[in-house]
Amino acid sequence: MEVLREHEEEEEEEKQIFVISNELQDLEDKDPIVFLQTGLTHLNLTIEFDWSSIDTSQLPASYKTNSAKEQMLLQLADNFHRQYAHLCPDRQPLFLHPLNECGVEKFVSTTVRPTLQPYPELYNWDGCAQFVSDYLTMEPLSSPITPPSYLPSPTTTLKYQRGNCFGFSVLLCSLLIGAGYDAYCVNGYATREICMMDETREVCPLLEKSKKVLKEPVKEKVKKYAVKPPRDLRSKFELQQVAKKEADIEAAQKKKQKEEEERVMEAEKPKPDPLYGLRVHAWVLVLSGKREVPESFFIDPFTAHSYSTTDDHFLGIESIWNHKNYWVNVQDCWNGCKDLTFDLGDPVRWEFMLLGTDKPLLLLPEEEEEELDKEEEEKGFDMPSSWVDLIQISRKEFETRCPQGKKVIQYKNAKLEKWAPYLNSNGMVKRLTIYEDPECFRVLEVKDWFENREDMMNMRQLNKKTEVTTEYFSPGHIQGLKAHTYKTMEPETERTMEFYSETRVDGLQKRVENAKEMTEYFEGRSDFLHYRHTMFGRRIKRAQILLINTESNARPIVQIKEQFHRNPEKPADEDVAERIFMILEGRIMLTYHCKDDYITASKKEFIKQKDVDNKGNKIIMTSDMCISYQVGSCVKNKKLLHLYEMMLKLMEAEKQLKHQVWESETEVLEILKIREEEAAASKLTVSMYDTERNEKSKQQRETMERLMQEERQRQVEQDLDYLAPFLIQMGSTEKMSKWQALRLKEDCLNDFKHRLIDKANLIQARFEKETQELQKKQQWYQQNQLSMTLEDEDAYLMYCSDAMFCIRILEIRLNRHKEMAPQKYIELEEKLCKDPRLAEYLKFNV
Amino acid sequence: MSRLYDTIEPNVIDEKMLQKAVEEQGPQEELGQLAKREGIDYKDVIELQLDFRNILKIDNLWQFVNLTKLQLDNNIIEKIEALDSLVHLIWLDLSFNNIEVIEGLEALVQLQDLSLYNNRISKIENLDTLQELQVFSIGNNNLTALENVVYLRMFKNLRTLNLTGNPVCENEQYSLFIAAHLPDLVYLDFRLVDQNTRELAEIKYQYVIDELKQGEAQALAKLVEEQAKQKELGHHKAAYVEYLNGSFLFESMYAEDTEAARLAYLPGMADLLETYKSKFVLICENLFAYGLQQHEMRQAEVSTFFECLQEAVQDSQQQGTKIILDFESDNQGQLDVIQNMSNFEIAESKLIKYNEDISQLSDTLMTLEMQTVDQLEEIIKDFERNIADQVSTFIENVQGMMAQCRDLENHHHEKLMENAINTLEKIVKSEFDEEMPDDVRLLFVDKDTIVNAVNASHDIHLLKIDNREDDIITKANSWSSSVIEEVHKNEISRNRNRVREVNQYIDHLQEELDNMESLEQME
């Protein structure tokens, strides 16, 4: 390899001269477009999509031509390849400069176009990989054992949403480098499953159970004063025999199971692949270091799965490249990729093509030499910038994801379908069908995922065997519903409803129902209730079943049992742990919490009796109505008074409980009704920030704009149309005769005249009134002048000056009006004559 | 204060009055009938109203231990007394009486609402223990000194105060003064203390209040410090090494020793004493550290033991509970089934079976208890032994250290003796030319006197050391015996309780069964 490297260095020097000469040539030859023979026409394409037929006319010039620098790069690459072929004659030719979609040879590194996307989902490698694998349709290579001769740009790949493994890899690599990862495209060999994107032997990732971490049982330290266990008095021999027998049975079972497993494995084993180790594949390598990647790994762009670099599926690497350089693997791949190291700075393992653009070499001992070389390196040849346009993904394309918004993946015993959001009217985005058999005939379970549903349902699971449906809801359903498991929507059948207890006032967490009982679980209640169990009896048949929702027709309650947590504020033997209301038998049983240091709990049992005894006297309370067991005290029972009070309270509680049970039943009915309605409607919500889809806000915005427009127009019209009142009087303007027009004009003028006169009169009247008042005041002043105080006199003088001022103003206004009136009249007449609606008729009258 | 009812005979709280009041104010209607038939315990009464009864003297209320509200308004009470047993009282109304001095309320620590309206009180006092006080009404009294109100600062929860109708209200500064001195007060004389007043008051009395606050803070800090000290001392005492971390013991040796003070004037004594003291203190400190360490060890031992004991007891409890729960769930409704059975013979056999079950349950529980007792006995024995070992080691070591002290003392004594005799000789030979007080010089009249004095001093020192040693040893021994005794006592009482409980439970089951049998026979 050293030889090759030396060659390379010589090349570098030669290159310097070459660049200059090339530039000169460029100047001479203004049109350096080199038309290369398109190799696409004689490619044996087995796929339906014809890459040669794509429209290239819209693509920018950089796609169709090679710049001088690129030209030189190609020559360099050829040189490199010649040397490589010379040194390693038994290896496959390198994948260096395939044709692009315009039929131009392009160096692979320049095809990588690092672009950072504006979507947060595409900032991490898994999001990018998922996007690429979802968005593109996979095409197999035309020949499974040679790399393709063409490699379209990532923009074209995106545009037509299809590509082979190389197209996938280049696109993914561009996104990853854009997002800051140290990513490389890899050209190598992989197994058939990987190359053909055959996941039928893979377990669906959604079904993979998270591996349980078996916790080592922490051995408890034997304390100094731990008690010794009581002596075991059983026969040791017998125990041994039993254990032996059990072990035998277990071993037999295990053996059977193992055999079964082996059989299944055998059946599932793939057929041997005749092309094993020869199948060409391209994938992406992410090296550790940048973006806090702790360890290097592979990403298969078809499936978006990540693999460790030692995975069995990857059988060898020819070369890798990123946007800056190209490396050839000179390590032995007899053992797949297991023994490869990815220290690209190591020239013994990786032969680089361009010097100087390399990432910093990791070889520390040769540092001094490196420094000497540096000057040379600086003059080295840089990889030209990519000829590909920026990779742009619109919001809509990003959301649509899959081609035509739909994608189907076949897994082992399972099928996964994906849709773009809002594509299905019921909001379904994913469906996983799990089959019983590998041939996928008998459906075992169907799981549907939803998004943006108005009823907040996010997942539905249907078990075909048991016919049980489970619906899961996000927080925000009206009734705080979390999950609903049922067989039928019929009320009073088996069902389980789970709730978001923190959003409910009653803290209900779960309600399990069947025909005869209802169990409710609560959480976080201030009265410490956590469990209520109601047993129903048979409903007495009635003629009218119309009144389904009324309390009268509810199922008769046989027994209600409630359990409470310990209330730390009460002493234990006053804190009820459980109360059972046996409604039919008229008994109430209370069990209290256990006191500390005691093993039995206090109990009370009340027996309700009729209020009146056989003699007709009112019975209040007798001692045999209550049987009680008080722990730890030999004191006689509590007084009857307290017991009676307690019983009254319990009876009240019983009444309330009955009502609560009825309310629960009603609520179930209500939820069922709501669910049915919602299922029927299956409306989708649109985020208020989604300007594209939010029809309502769009409409609102549009109507608002329209309204404003109309309003403005109307105002303009109103300002202008002085003829409107007259036109209305006349009726329709369309059929106006000359006579009518004349009359309209007359009317209008008359009206205006009238108004002018009125105005004049008004001013006149005001003027006269003011004058009169002033005169009156003057008279009064003259009469009372002598008896007036100074203040009064001042007031009078003030008044006079004001009045005089008013009169003067009025006089001026009147005069001006008189002057202006004829002028205005004439103006109006002229205007009327010019009015487009009247002009026609009045033309000759002017 | 003159009253219209002065002519009426004053009353005393007696049985009849209480009975009547309780009945009137107790449950009514059906409950009342029941209550009357059974009689009401004074212990159960929570509220009591004794107003307009011309009571002169509070008495006979000691039975109402659970009372929370007591109204004694509109009487002619002159002295607050006999309320000490009503510790649960929250509300006390003594308005419209003839009380002159606030007293006798010390025991009512839970009191929140106190009314002394319309009395003859001239000073707010004797309320220090009522830290829960929220509402205090002392209007229409003879309070004259505004400064007296500052006393109310100690009630952190006081929100409502009524002082109207006191001579003190005539002071112009009255409301501002109160607003400034009681910043947490919300209502004064039935009115909200508004922000405006508060601000004004704050400005006006800023310096006074700051001073007050500083004083209070200082007092608090002092208290805290004192408590911390006490706590530490308590800790040392628990380790039996109190006052050993320093020269306390050494100083106490010399405190009662008059001879030593005189002997200190001997030449070279200062150096001698100094070295002696430093050595002695070193040993004391060693002893102190050792004591604390041993104390820690003992505590650790005890806590491990109690932890294990607790665990074992809990374990047995859980087992017991499980047995009982199993029994109950198995036999639930058994009696009902038997009762409703038509076939008499089967019913009879079932009854017998049930009876057997009960006795078997009793056996199981008792066996469990026996087993627990055995197990516990064993670990208690272990514990006893370990504690005894520990204490004896401790004592041995203490004795060793004390012996060191004694050696030091003996050594010192010899030196002193030598020195004294030398000095005596010098004096005798009149070679001694240093200054010496007369009473010291008196010692050196002859050999006997000086030897006696030195010996006396030595004896006193030894006695002190012996005493301290004895003290430690007795305390350690008594601690170990008391711990062991307590453990035994607890275990016995636990055992008794459990056995009684089991018996009671079995009796209860048996009784149920018997009741049914008797019912059947009746049928």
Side-chain angles (χ1 to χ4, degrees):
Chain A
M1 282 306 115
E2 279 303 307
V3 184
L4 198 96
R5 201 163 157 217
E6 273 166 29
H7 271 269
E8 180 86 26
E9 273 158 17
E10 280 166 28
E11 281 306 308
E12 297 284 322
E13 278 161 27
E14 273 173 37
K15 212 165 50 194
Q16 297 303 321
I17 310 157
F18 194 84
V19 169
I20 301 162
S21 68
N22 214 23
E23 272 169 8
L24 285 171
Q25 208 177 349
D26 270 4
L27 285 172
E28 285 164 23
D29 193 358
K30 272 283 168 192
D31 191 13
I33 304 168
V34 183
F35 290 101
L36 287 160
Q37 192 67 41
T38 43
L40 287 171
T41 42
H42 49 79
L43 256 178
N44 188 15
L45 292 176
T46 47
I47 42 172
E48 316 113 57
F49 187 76
D50 189 1
W51 280 96
S52 61
S53 69
I54 61 170
D55 182 18
T56 57
S57 57
Q58 301 295 318
L59 296 171
S62 69
Y63 281 56
K64 295 173 188 163
T65 60
N66 270 325
S67 71
K69 213 173 175 192
E70 281 177 296
Q71 286 279 10
M72 209 180 87
L73 180 68
L74 288 178
Q75 282 171 6
L76 260 173
D78 275 337
N79 198 341
F80 180 74
H81 194 226
R82 263 201 309 281
Q83 293 181 35
Y84 173 77
H86 180 71
L87 288 168
C88 312
D90 51 343
R91 279 182 70 168
Q92 283 270 341
L94 290 175
F95 184 71
L96 276 172
H97 40 69
L99 304 175
N100 73 353
E101 62 267 44
C102 300
V104 181
E105 275 192 344
K106 292 284 184 186
F107 190 65
V108 282
S109 288
T110 54
T111 315
V112 177
R113 181 68 164 102
T115 323
L116 179 61
Q117 297 300 324
Y119 309 107
E121 293 92 331
L122 294 189
Y123 189 62
N124 287 327
W125 68 265
D126 40 356
C128 282
Q130 196 59 52
F131 171 75
V132 170
S133 91
D134 281 352
Y135 193 70
L136 303 181
T137 310
M138 175 263 187
E139 282 174 357
L141 289 173
S142 50
S143 156
I145 55 166
T146 47
S149 55
Y150 70 97
L151 177 65
S153 63
T155 47
T156 311
T157 311
L158 260 181
K159 190 175 167 195
Y160 293 95
Q161 294 201 341
R162 55 197 309 125
N164 54 30
C165 50
F166 284 86
F168 270 67
S169 302
V170 169
L171 175 60
L172 178 55
C173 198
S174 303
L175 295 177
L176 289 178
I177 295 174
Y181 285 99
D182 193 9
Y184 301 85
C185 292
V186 180
N187 171 23
Y189 305 96
T191 57
R192 180 174 56 191
E193 283 74 34
I194 292 273
C195 293
M196 307 304 281
M197 201 171 127
D198 184 1
E199 292 179 272
T200 46
R201 256 181 295 282
E202 299 281 321
V203 177
C204 177
L206 289 167
L207 291 175
E208 267 172 23
K209 278 158 202 143
S210 53
K211 278 168 199 158
K212 277 178 201 162
V213 185
L214 280 175
K215 259 193 191 166
E216 279 282 312
V218 184
K219 245 198 175 175
E220 258 189 50
K221 210 173 70 191
V222 180
K223 283 178 186 153
K224 200 172 173 185
Y225 293 108
V227 289
K228 281 180 195 144
R231 201 171 279 172
D232 193 355
L233 297 175
R234 286 173 297 176
S235 149
K236 287 246 167 69
F237 178 71
E238 274 174 20
L239 282 179
Q240 257 177 12
Q241 290 302 313
V242 170
K244 225 182 202 172
K245 228 178 230 171
E246 272 173 9
D248 280 353
I249 292 167
E250 206 175 318
Q253 266 177 352
K254 254 192 188 160
K255 203 175 164 194
K256 217 173 173 185
Q257 206 177 348
K258 212 174 178 184
E259 273 170 14
E260 183 73 13
E261 266 172 22
E262 266 171 17
R263 207 173 51 79
V264 172
M265 287 274 276
E266 197 65 36
E268 281 178 358
K269 230 180 202 170
K271 282 173 226 149
D273 184 9
L275 294 176
Y276 184 81
L278 294 174
R279 287 181 187 273
V280 171
H281 189 55
W283 65 93
V284 173
L285 160 72
V286 180
L287 286 188
S288 59
K290 284 187 178 173
R291 287 289 307 274
E292 296 173 352
V293 176
E295 210 171 318
S296 304
F297 60 95
F298 292 144
I299 306 173
D300 181 34
F302 284 156
T303 53
H305 292 176
S306 66
Y307 298 89
S308 88
T309 52
T310 55
D311 200 273
D312 292 335
H313 287 99
F314 298 98
L315 304 169
I317 292 179
E318 277 291 337
S319 56
I320 69 170
W321 69 90
N322 66 358
H323 60 301
K324 281 186 179 155
N325 209 345
Y326 191 94
W327 292 265
V328 180
N329 176 27
V330 277
Q331 298 170 75
D332 204 348
C333 291
W334 67 272
N335 195 12
C337 294
K338 276 176 194 142
D339 298 335
L340 296 189
T341 54
F342 292 92
D343 176 11
L344 297 179
D346 184 354
V348 178
R349 299 206 166 86
W350 295 95
E351 189 63 48
F352 52 86
M353 197 184 97
L354 295 183
L355 197 71
T357 52
D358 195 357
K359 57 198 266 171
L361 295 178
L362 298 172
L363 299 170
L364 292 172
E366 291 170 60
E367 212 164 358
E368 281 176 28
E369 273 179 55
E370 291 301 317
E371 267 170 30
L372 287 176
D373 290 345
K374 238 179 199 167
E375 281 173 28
E376 268 180 285
E377 276 172 25
E378 271 164 23
K379 290 175 213 155
F381 184 79
D382 283 339
M383 182 64 74
S385 60
S386 176
W387 50 276
V388 180
D389 262 357
L390 274 181
I391 299 168
Q392 279 171 334
I393 306 165
S394 73
R395 166 59 66 179
K396 201 173 168 209
E397 282 167 348
F398 178 64
E399 271 176 10
T400 319
R401 278 288 171 106
C402 319
Q404 285 85 47
K406 192 184 169 191
K407 189 154 191 167
V408 183
I409 307 169
Q410 192 78 38
Y411 288 106
K412 180 183 175 184
N413 291 4
K415 190 172 77 177
L416 180 67
E417 294 161 88
K418 289 183 188 176
W419 291 273
Y422 296 106
L423 190 76
N424 287 328
S425 62
N426 61 0
M428 201 187 327
V429 291
K430 246 195 296 190
R431 161 173 280 181
L432 177 69
T433 320
I434 303 164
Y435 300 94
E436 216 172 328
D437 49 341
E439 288 79 34
C440 299
F441 287 123
R442 293 194 298 274
V443 177
L444 195 69
E445 202 176 340
V446 181
K447 277 185 185 176
D448 297 339
W449 282 265
F450 301 88
E451 256 174 37
N452 303 314
R453 277 178 72 100
E454 204 155 62
D455 57 5
M456 311 305 280
M457 180 156 76
N458 55 13
M459 211 252 258
R460 185 173 59 203
Q461 194 173 357
L462 172 64
N463 193 330
K464 285 278 180 190
K465 271 210 167 154
T466 52
E467 293 290 329
V468 171
T469 310
T470 311
E471 291 169 345
Y472 296 94
F473 299 83
S474 309
H477 193 264
I478 312 168
Q479 307 276 10
L481 205 58
K482 189 178 184 183
H484 182 197
T485 310
Y486 59 93
K487 274 187 180 169
T488 63
M489 291 295 271
E490 204 60 32
E492 292 174 21
T493 52
E494 239 173 85
R495 74 183 63 255
T496 307
M497 286 180 179
E498 278 176 56
F499 298 87
Y500 288 100
S501 60
E502 59 273 20
T503 63
R504 287 180 64 102
V505 182
D506 58 359
L508 182 65
Q509 189 236 331
K510 196 162 121 183
R511 182 183 285 139
V512 183
E513 242 197 319
N514 62 28
K516 278 199 167 166
E517 51 199 309
M518 175 163 77
T519 319
E520 290 167 299
Y521 299 88
F522 300 89
E523 245 174 24
R525 280 174 70 112
S526 56
D527 61 356
F528 297 92
L529 176 72
H530 69 99
Y531 172 86
R532 183 188 293 146
H533 178 254
T534 315
M535 268 164 56
F536 298 102
R538 219 173 261 277
R539 185 183 272 122
I540 305 151
K541 276 195 180 172
R542 290 202 185 176
Q544 72 275 30
I545 315 169
L546 293 170
L547 306 160
I548 280 179
N549 280 0
T550 52
E551 200 160 355
S552 58
N553 199 35
R555 292 172 286 182
I557 299 166
V558 175
Q559 181 188 329
I560 303 176
K561 184 165 151 192
E562 282 190 314
Q563 285 177 358
F564 299 83
H565 284 304
R566 177 91 178 81
N567 179 357
E569 279 166 24
K570 282 190 196 171
D573 54 352
E574 285 175 29
D575 190 14
V576 178
E578 184 184 71
R579 52 185 197 189
I580 305 173
F581 297 92
M582 298 175 156
I583 287 163
L584 285 190
E585 298 167 50
R587 286 204 297 177
I588 303 169
M589 306 222 280
L590 296 183
T591 311
Y592 292 85
H593 281 283
C594 258
K595 271 200 282 191
D596 288 347
D597 298 336
Y598 283 92
I599 52 170
T600 52
S602 301
K603 277 182 198 166
K604 280 207 174 69
E605 186 177 342
F606 292 95
I607 300 160
K608 278 195 275 182
Q609 284 180 350
K610 286 167 202 151
D611 282 349
V612 180
D613 66 4
N614 40 17
K615 283 178 196 162
N617 295 329
K618 205 171 174 191
I619 296 179
I620 299 167
M621 185 83 200
T622 50
S623 55
D624 58 342
M625 277 164 76
C626 174
I627 303 166
S628 81
Y629 163 63
Q630 191 76 21
V631 170
S633 71
C634 307
V635 186
K636 202 51 189 136
N637 297 343
K638 276 186 174 178
K639 286 197 172 178
L640 279 180
L641 174 67
H642 295 286
L643 292 176
Y644 186 59
E645 270 178 334
M646 206 183 247
M647 196 160 104
L648 286 184
K649 267 185 205 157
L650 282 173
M651 271 148 75
E652 185 57 33
E654 185 182 312
K655 215 188 271 174
Q656 277 177 3
L657 262 185
K658 275 187 189 166
H659 185 71
Q660 258 166 21
V661 168
W662 174 75
E663 269 182 356
S664 293
E665 286 185 279
T666 327
E667 195 193 57
V668 170
L669 289 179
E670 203 182 322
I671 290 175
L672 287 181
K673 213 171 103 196
I674 290 175
R675 279 301 305 140
E676 252 166 32
E677 279 167 13
E678 281 170 349
S682 73
K683 273 189 200 156
L684 297 186
T685 55
V686 177
S687 158
M688 62 185 295
Y689 302 111
D690 192 343
T691 45
E692 276 299 307
R693 287 208 187 75
N694 201 331
E695 284 300 322
K696 208 168 131 195
S697 75
K698 206 167 161 187
Q699 271 174 15
Q700 213 175 358
R701 210 171 50 236
E702 276 168 9
T703 33
M704 240 160 69
E705 270 167 22
R706 209 174 54 231
L707 278 176
M708 259 162 69
Q709 186 80 24
E710 279 173 9
E711 181 73 11
R712 224 175 292 137
Q713 218 155 18
R714 207 164 43 234
Q715 259 179 1
V716 171
E717 272 173 23
Q718 262 180 354
D719 284 347
L720 279 179
D721 201 6
Y722 50 93
L723 279 177
F726 303 101
L727 285 172
I728 288 164
Q729 274 177 20
M730 305 253 315
S732 73
T733 45
E734 308 294 301
K735 306 167 197 162
M736 211 181 340
S737 62
K738 188 176 175 179
W739 180 79
Q740 270 176 324
L742 274 176
R743 201 174 131 207
L744 191 108
K745 185 190 157 198
E746 282 301 305
D747 280 352
C748 194
L749 286 174
N750 274 340
D751 195 61
F752 187 61
K753 202 195 239 168
H754 215 75
R755 275 183 65 184
L756 288 174
I757 292 167
D758 277 355
K759 201 175 170 186
N761 286 343
L762 204 73
I763 300 171
Q764 184 75 38
R766 278 244 190 102
F767 175 72
E768 276 165 13
K769 195 180 153 205
E770 288 288 331
T771 332
Q772 262 179 15
E773 249 170 62
L774 183 64
Q775 277 171 357
K776 262 189 207 163
K777 203 89 181 179
Q778 275 170 342
Q779 274 172 9
W780 171 80
Y781 173 66
Q782 272 159 10
Q783 280 166 11
N784 303 315
Q785 198 176 9
L786 296 174
S787 59
M788 253 184 196
T789 63
L790 254 175
E791 276 171 32
D792 283 343
E793 212 171 302
D794 273 352
Y796 166 71
L797 285 173
M798 276 285 278
Y799 170 76
C800 276
S801 69
D802 276 359
M804 289 296 280
F805 178 72
C806 270
I807 290 164
R808 172 103 190 103
I809 295 289
L810 284 169
E811 215 172 56
I812 292 169
R813 281 178 66 186
L814 191 61
N815 286 337
R816 198 170 55 200
H817 185 66
K818 275 175 186 165
E819 264 172 46
M820 298 289 282
Q823 221 171 331
K824 275 186 184 165
Y825 186 75
I826 290 162
E827 259 173 35
L828 180 65
E829 200 174 354
E830 262 173 38
K831 205 172 173 183
L832 278 173
C833 287
K834 278 176 193 158
D835 192 285
R837 285 166 290 189
L838 302 175
E840 204 184 320
Y841 310 105
L842 303 175
K843 234 185 277 177
F844 312 104
N845 270 49
V846 180
Chain B
M1 211 171 287
S2 66
R3 282 174 176 271
L4 278 173
Y5 308 110
D6 267 353
T7 49
I8 293 170
E9 188 86 350
N11 261 333
V12 184
I13 302 178
D14 55 12
E15 183 66 27
K16 224 168 98 190
M17 183 195 279
L18 286 174
Q19 191 69 39
K20 209 174 141 210
V22 165
E23 268 173 28
E24 274 171 11
Q25 292 154 29
Q28 302 299 318
E29 289 176 41
E30 292 170 8
L31 284 173
Q33 287 176 32
L34 253 181
K36 223 175 208 169
R37 210 163 61 204
E38 289 191 303
I40 299 171
D41 267 354
Y42 288 162
K43 256 189 284 181
D44 299 339
V45 179
I46 289 175
E47 293 182 5
L48 187 61
Q49 200 175 344
L50 293 170
D51 48 357
F52 297 102
R53 280 176 167 83
N54 285 318
I55 297 165
L56 181 65
K57 189 170 156 44
I58 309 170
D59 208 351
N60 291 327
L61 287 175
W62 55 270
Q63 298 180 75
F64 294 84
V65 281
N66 285 316
L67 210 60
T68 60
K69 182 175 175 180
L70 176 61
Q71 281 168 279
L72 286 166
D73 53 309
N74 293 291
N75 287 303
I76 47 172
I77 298 166
E78 288 174 349
K79 188 172 189 285
I80 310 173
E81 60 192 337
L83 293 173
D84 288 348
S85 55
L86 313 183
V87 286
H88 295 288
L89 217 52
I90 288 172
W91 173 319
L92 177 61
D93 191 347
L94 285 166
S95 52
F96 298 96
N97 280 298
N98 300 334
I99 298 162
E100 286 176 354
V101 180
I102 305 178
E103 61 193 335
L105 296 171
E106 289 78 11
L108 313 183
V109 286
Q110 298 198 23
L111 207 61
Q112 291 176 1
D113 191 324
L114 174 62
S115 178
L116 293 166
Y117 194 81
N118 207 345
N119 279 295
R120 299 170 188 174
I121 297 162
S122 53
K123 191 176 178 216
I124 306 174
E125 60 191 340
N126 298 331
L127 293 169
D128 299 31
T129 50
L130 277 53
Q131 285 300 324
E132 299 292 316
L133 202 61
Q134 291 173 5
V135 181
F136 185 43
S137 170
I138 191 161
N140 272 0
N141 276 292
N142 290 328
L143 296 180
T144 48
L146 205 49
E147 286 69 35
N148 191 203
V149 182
V150 181
Y151 178 79
L152 296 173
R153 265 178 85 84
M154 71 166 69
F155 305 113
K156 299 285 173 251
N157 296 318
L158 189 68
R159 295 289 177 271
T160 307
L161 177 64
N162 177 21
L163 282 168
T164 46
N166 278 302
V168 74
C169 299
E170 285 153 26
N171 193 327
E172 284 172 24
Q173 306 300 334
Y174 162 70
S175 64
L176 282 186
F177 184 87
I178 300 227
H181 283 84
L182 304 173
D184 291 331
L185 203 65
V186 182
Y187 297 99
L188 174 64
D189 300 344
F190 311 115
R191 275 198 213 100
L192 194 71
V193 183
D194 57 18
Q195 202 58 38
N196 202 8
T197 323
R198 216 181 278 282
E199 275 164 20
L200 272 178
E202 219 165 89
I203 294 161
K204 192 169 158 100
Y205 287 97
Q206 196 179 6
Y207 294 113
V208 186
I209 296 294
D210 281 355
E211 221 165 274
L212 260 176
K213 271 186 187 160
Q214 207 181 346
E216 282 167 2
Q218 268 174 3
L220 192 72
K222 218 174 178 180
L223 195 71
V224 168
E225 204 179 325
E226 189 66 28
Q227 275 170 354
K229 239 182 206 167
Q230 281 298 326
K231 205 178 150 194
E232 207 184 335
L233 185 63
H235 182 61
H236 295 167
K237 269 191 179 157
Y240 324 122
V241 289
E242 70 272 18
Y243 301 126
L244 280 178
N245 55 338
S247 53
F248 294 106
L249 179 60
F250 186 78
E251 273 155 21
S252 78
M253 271 161 40
Y254 279 86
E256 292 164 27
D257 184 3
T258 49
E259 306 295 335
R262 273 191 271 173
L263 288 171
Y265 288 98
L266 288 178
M269 265 319 277
D271 284 350
L272 202 60
L273 261 180
E274 201 52 47
T275 46
Y276 174 43
K277 184 179 174 180
S278 66
K279 276 184 187 164
F280 194 88
V281 168
L282 194 71
I283 292 174
C284 277
E285 266 163 9
N286 279 343
L287 183 58
F288 177 74
Y290 177 70
L292 284 186
Q293 180 217 339
Q294 281 288 313
H295 175 61
E296 215 112 287
M297 271 173 64
R298 284 195 299 271
Q299 289 295 329
E301 191 75 16
V302 171
S303 69
T304 351
F305 169 71
F306 276 110
E307 208 174 287
C308 292
L309 185 76
Q310 194 66 24
E311 236 165 59
V313 169
Q314 220 119 53
D315 214 39
S316 116
Q317 246 175 56
Q318 271 164 11
Q319 280 183 41
T321 317
K322 195 171 166 289
I323 291 168
I324 286 171
L325 280 180
D326 285 350
F327 174 81
E328 277 178 3
S329 64
D330 283 351
N331 290 298
Q332 207 173 27
Q334 188 91 338
L335 283 181
D336 292 338
V337 172
I338 294 171
Q339 205 159 21
N340 296 332
M341 215 166 275
S342 50
N343 192 331
F344 184 74
E345 272 169 35
I346 295 175
E348 192 71 9
S349 70
K350 284 243 174 192
L351 265 181
I352 291 164
K353 171 87 177 25
Y354 187 56
N355 221 334
E356 273 169 13
D357 279 353
I358 291 174
S359 57
Q360 204 196 328
L361 175 73
S362 158
D363 283 354
T364 325
L365 288 174
M366 284 302 180
T367 320
L368 181 69
E369 177 55 22
M370 284 304 293
Q371 185 190 313
T372 314
V373 168
D374 282 352
Q375 286 172 334
L376 292 184
E377 217 161 72
E378 207 164 312
I379 66 166
I380 289 170
K381 251 184 215 155
D382 278 357
F383 176 66
E384 218 175 311
R385 204 165 45 237
N386 284 341
I387 285 290
D389 281 358
Q390 251 182 7
V391 169
S392 65
T393 328
F394 174 64
I395 288 172
E396 264 169 39
N397 280 320
V398 167
Q399 277 169 341
M401 288 201 207
M402 285 300 183
Q404 281 178 26
C405 286
R406 243 173 255 128
D407 285 352
L408 269 183
E409 173 58 31
N410 287 336
H411 186 66
H412 176 72
H413 171 66
E414 276 167 25
K415 282 258 179 79
L416 183 61
M417 192 64 94
E418 204 178 304
N419 194 341
I421 289 171
N422 279 345
T423 315
L424 182 69
E425 276 169 10
K426 272 182 190 167
I427 288 173
V428 169
K429 289 176 188 164
S430 303
E431 281 170 10
F432 195 76
D433 46 3
E434 278 169 55
E435 282 290 313
M436 205 181 268
D438 286 345
D439 58 337
V440 179
R441 204 168 269 276
L442 271 182
L443 284 173
F444 295 95
V445 281
D446 56 16
K447 197 176 175 183
D448 280 352
T449 326
I450 184 70
V451 168
N452 278 344
V454 171
N455 276 339
S457 159
H458 180 55
D459 286 348
I460 288 175
H461 295 174
L462 282 183
L463 188 67
K464 276 278 168 192
I465 293 171
D466 287 350
N467 281 348
R468 192 74 186 85
E469 189 183 345
D470 281 355
D471 186 37
I472 292 176
I473 291 167
T474 10
K475 274 185 183 166
N477 279 330
S478 74
W479 172 80
S480 88
S481 58
S482 76
V483 164
I484 300 297
E485 197 181 330
E486 198 186 317
V487 166
H488 277 295
K489 215 171 74 190
N490 282 348
E491 166 55 17
I492 288 169
S493 82
R494 189 200 65 78
N495 179 25
R496 294 255 165 88
N497 270 337
R498 176 58 41 81
V499 170
R500 194 175 63 200
E501 187 190 0
V502 170
N503 278 335
Q504 203 190 346
Y505 185 67
I506 298 298
D507 283 354
H508 168 71
L509 290 177
Q510 208 73 48
E511 203 176 315
E512 265 186 349
L513 194 65
D514 290 351
N515 272 346
M516 210 188 64
E517 274 171 354
S518 64
L519 268 177
E520 247 168 40
Q521 279 167 7
M522 269 164 66
E523 275 165 18

